Amino acid sequence: FPERPVYSQAHLAAAPNRIWQTESYQVVSQKIARLAHYLDSLNLGAEPRIAIISYTRPEWMIADLAILSIGGTSVSIYQSVNVGETGYILFDSQSSVVFAENVEQVNKLLALLEAPTPIPAVEDRPATTVSLSFKKIIAFEEVPPHPLVIQFDDILKNAAIADTPPTNLAKSTIASLVYTSGTTGPPKGVMQTHENHIANLWQASTTKLFAPDGALFLFLPLAHSFARLVGYIGFLTPALLKFPAVADRKSSTLNAASVLQDLADGSAECVPMVPRILEKMRSGILAQAGKSGLGGALVRATVNAAQAKWEFQQKQAAVPISIQLSYLLTAPLRKKIKLKLFGPTFAHVVSGGAKLPADVNRFFRALGITIYEGYGLTETSPVIAVGTFEP
């Protein structure tokens, strides 16, 4: 179904409104093919390493799949990483081309070209200092002209479409290098193969955590394996992926208020999150409950009734009539809280990336907000298991 939308992204309009723009599988596949043809024309050799340093956006996934399309390895770098650590990852991965989101990220790369980069020692390599070089820097946003820099949009406008995919790919071919801090020394590059990604994608498809015709909202950093899996679900299955708006074209700093507005406005059925964001959401609700006046009293009553009923149910004890009545009367406010946070079609959160505190889980479950907790490792690409409430 080439005409079906693969993703939808919010775009800033007259505040506080958003315009949601979609692109079809056919259009996206052509973009990937054009970008792949351009990368191939750079003569990067067999299995080139190509880095992406950007916040989560459709261009990230298009770049990633174009890299894989030429038999390359995509090297993901968090947009918040400083210049020194960026230099280390680029050196250690031997990346020859870098996709950079905006002028903030391009400036990091240009700074690395201007001065030698200190490289700390690892088990099989002594400390050293190196001078980095790149064949190309591909910028997602408009940036000042530079001989090494080319605009992402210019490639899509001018490049031809790749004829055929590489024939030398195997399931065991490395698809991604994902750098994690580990416990000692500099970051380590975790090797993830094509088979790792495909297996995790197939496994996720069997969990019923997302519907084939449903939507997932993706705002977690795509440099993280959890978000990358969600990205592949959106781009490689019929499920629709929803992205937040790019609030700042020059900086990769997360605009939390803008993302939360898009989360509610986009209203996806499945919302992957990390526990830290859920904790902040809970703090926001409790802050409202702590305010004086009628509004604060109503939120406070809603939270208290929900928590009280939950506690009795967990003990398998009879819920007192007074709590049942309070819970019934505050039902409209529970619905309003859920609607304000996630929108009208929301079904559940999938939490991953860190341990979900039990009290946070209980808080949202009591309010009627379902959270499924997953467990995994970067080394497992990443999901091992996810809890559900099915028998």
Side-chain angles (χ1 to χ4, degrees), residues 1 4-8 22 25 204-205 208-217 233-242 266-270 345-348:
F1 302 96
R4 286 185 61 164
V6 59
Y7 73 81
S8 180
T22 63
Y25 282 89
S205 299
K208 300 180 181 178
L209 289 176
F210 68 93
D213 57 350
L216 303 93
F217 188 87
I233 289 171
F235 272 64
L236 302 176
T237 80
L240 178 68
L241 206 57
K242 293 193 175 184
S267 187
E269 289 89 345
C270 179
T345 64
F346 167 78
H348 54 256

Side-chain angles (χ1 to χ4, degrees), residues 45-367:
E47 299 183 12
R49 309 282 177 81
I50 300 174
I52 307 172
I53 179 167
S54 166
Y55 192 66
T56 295
R57 53 193 294 165
E59 293 90 341
W60 204 111
M61 287 301 305
I62 291 169
D64 179 71
L65 290 169
I67 294 166
L68 301 186
S69 294
I70 64 167
T73 301
S74 66
V75 180
S76 54
I77 304 178
Y78 284 96
Q79 75 285 351
S80 56
V81 167
N82 61 34
V83 174
E85 192 167 318
T86 299
Y88 172 79
I89 294 173
L90 292 171
F91 165 77
D92 189 73
S93 64
Q94 300 180 326
S95 295
S96 54
V97 173
V98 185
F99 287 90
E101 181 173 21
N102 48 40
V103 66
E104 176 189 358
Q105 306 304 338
V106 169
N107 285 343
K108 284 184 188 178
L109 300 173
L110 296 182
L112 290 169
L113 298 178
E114 294 171 357
T117 300
I119 303 297
V122 294
E123 290 86 347
D124 59 350
R125 186 178 65 220
T128 185
T129 301
V130 299
S131 295
L132 294 173
S133 62
F134 316 114
K135 282 201 171 184
K136 275 296 176 186
I137 298 171
I138 302 173
F140 293 154
E141 295 291 348
E142 193 73 32
V143 298
H146 187 279
L148 274 179
V149 179
I150 185 170
Q151 298 294 147
F152 182 85
D153 285 345
D154 289 344
I155 295 173
L156 298 185
K157 289 175 184 175
N158 302 317
I161 293 179
D163 296 327
T164 56
T167 57
N168 61 337
L169 280 181
K171 290 181 179 180
S172 59
T173 301
I174 297 175
S176 307
L177 283 176
V178 182
Y179 280 78
T180 62
S181 57
T183 55
T184 60
K188 311 294 193 299
V190 175
M191 298 177 288
Q192 299 174 340
T193 67
H194 285 266
E195 187 170 25
N196 291 152
H197 289 309
I198 292 168
N200 226 185
L201 179 61
W202 176 82
Q203 290 162 343
S205 299
T206 66
T207 62
K208 300 180 181 178
L209 289 176
F210 68 93
D213 57 350
L216 303 93
F217 188 87
L218 179 57
F219 68 98
L220 299 176
L222 276 164
H224 193 284
S225 290
F226 179 34
R228 177 89 64 90
L229 172 61
V230 179
Y232 287 149
I233 289 171
F235 272 64
L236 302 176
T237 80
L240 178 68
L241 206 57
K242 293 193 175 184
F243 288 95
V246 178
D248 187 343
R249 298 287 177 180
K250 295 183 178 180
S251 168
S252 300
T253 302
L254 173 68
N255 184 322
S258 180
V259 170
L260 289 175
Q261 180 177 339
D262 293 335
L263 174 59
D265 190 37
S267 187
E269 289 89 345
C270 179
V271 181
M273 281 192 169
V274 293
R276 181 173 55 86
I277 297 174
L278 289 165
E279 289 174 350
K280 289 186 175 181
M281 283 183 163
R282 180 182 65 166
S283 296
I285 295 171
L286 292 176
Q288 291 294 321
K291 290 183 177 180
S292 59
L294 179 60
L298 289 173
V299 176
R300 191 159 54 249
T302 301
V303 171
N304 290 342
Q307 298 294 313
K309 183 179 179 184
W310 174 265
E311 293 298 332
F312 276 98
Q313 288 177 329
Q314 294 310 296
K315 297 174 185 176
Q316 295 185 338
V319 181
I321 295 297
S322 59
I323 292 176
Q324 291 187 42
L325 182 60
S326 180
Y327 184 82
L328 182 63
L329 291 174
T330 54
L333 274 173
R334 285 197 308 278
K335 183 177 180 181
K336 186 175 181 180
I337 290 171
K338 187 175 180 180
L339 187 67
K340 186 173 182 181
L341 289 177
F342 298 106
T345 64
F346 167 78
H348 54 256
V349 168
V350 178
S351 176
K355 177 179 172 58
L356 176 65
D359 60 326
V360 175
N361 195 3
R362 285 195 299 267
F363 178 84
F364 284 104
R365 289 281 295 168
L367 289 172

